[in-house]
Amino acid sequence: MTKGEIPAARNLPNGSTWKVDRAIKDTTGAVYYEVASNQWISAKNMTVNKAVETVNSNTNFSTFSSKGKVAVNPQKPTNNQTSNSNPDTASVAAAVLKSINDERAAKGVAPLSQTAALTNTANIRAKEISVKFDHQRPNGSMCFSAFPDGWGTEEENIAYRYKRPANEIAANIMNSFRAENFAPSHYTNVLSPDVKTVGVGVYRSGDRYYVAEDFMG
């Protein structure tokens, strides 16, 4: 698209497939899925194959209810929770690490130890994915170029969530990993017996928390 004003809406082809990371519920109680960056479609016009994180929004989408139409640039979602829905990044990182080791314990897999070197890697990656949400880094190299020197298994999980209590961010990320229906997956990395150490990094940008989980054998 050439530079200029962003259109008020666009249409999606019937039967097309889209990756959905989250949903919002507007002031009327209607649910909309995010199909592209800050672009939404009514749940009435889309089916999903797994549970999707849903947060409240002070937006009314009633003018975007026609079939296949996508609302562009609505107001940002808001979460009607107390101040603990605005945790610091250290609290989120601690909750995510606990969720990883709790999941491993539940499946009979040895816990991971957190290392300073991998934590530094994860913090670098968490900030980078706020710019480019991908396992490829903004400079074009793969994520593993940020890992400390070593030999063995190297894996990375990435996610982002909107502000809410730290334990809910961690639980929601783990739930989304469990629901993945492909292999290898993020959940495969969480339970891998081939990794022994982990670093968890969290970077906050506005009301989003970007999380990187970096594993090594």
Side-chain angles (χ1 to χ4, degrees):
M1 179 181 295
T2 58
K3 292 182 179 180
E5 185 177 354
I6 297 175
R10 63 186 180 89
N11 292 302
L12 299 182
N14 186 34
S16 58
T17 302
W18 298 80
K19 181 179 179 181
V20 174
D21 291 317
R22 67 189 181 103
I24 63 172
K25 182 182 291 184
D26 75 0
T27 55
T28 69
V31 174
Y32 290 79
Y33 295 117
E34 186 177 36
V35 293
S37 179
N38 215 19
Q39 300 184 28
W40 312 83
I41 190 169
S42 171
K44 295 179 180 179
N45 303 322
M46 187 171 184
T47 59
V48 293
N49 60 10
K50 65 178 181 179
V52 179
E53 178 190 17
T54 303
V55 296
N56 295 322
S57 172
N58 57 4
T59 299
N60 185 330
F61 280 89
S62 60
T63 58
F64 298 105
S65 59
S66 61
K67 187 173 183 179
K69 186 166 286 189
V70 181
V72 179
N73 291 339
Q75 295 178 351
K76 290 183 178 180
T78 58
N79 194 315
N80 298 327
Q81 299 194 37
T82 57
S83 60
N84 66 354
S85 66
N86 191 27
D88 58 66
T89 55
S91 297
V92 175
V96 170
L97 176 62
K98 183 177 185 301
S99 74
I100 292 170
N101 279 331
D102 284 353
E103 195 72 12
R104 289 174 69 91
K107 300 297 183 180
V109 185
L112 300 177
S113 59
Q114 188 173 28
T115 70
L118 268 181
T119 298
N120 181 61
T121 292
N123 282 324
I124 291 171
R125 291 291 297 131
K127 187 173 183 179
E128 287 180 346
I129 63 174
S130 73
V131 177
K132 180 179 182 179
F133 191 75
D134 196 284
H135 293 295
Q136 185 182 70
R137 304 178 69 184
N139 66 7
S141 64
M142 291 306 296
C143 60
F144 305 114
S145 66
F147 279 50
D149 292 337
W151 184 89
T153 302
E154 296 179 337
E155 304 292 351
E156 175 174 87
N157 292 349
I158 58 176
Y160 72 82
R161 291 296 184 272
Y162 280 81
K163 62 181 181 181
R164 56 181 55 211
N167 63 331
E168 290 188 20
I169 292 175
N172 186 272
I173 290 173
M174 187 60 71
N175 286 339
S176 69
F177 290 168
R178 288 193 200 102
E180 292 173 346
N181 59 359
F182 53 87
S185 66
H186 296 97
Y187 195 59
T188 304
N189 295 339
V190 168
L191 297 181
S192 174
D194 297 326
V195 297
K196 310 299 180 186
T197 58
V198 66
V200 177
V202 180
Y203 179 76
R204 182 178 177 184
S205 178
D207 56 0
R208 285 189 184 189
Y209 290 79
Y210 291 86
V211 178
E213 303 169 0
D214 291 311
F215 306 90
M216 288 187 72

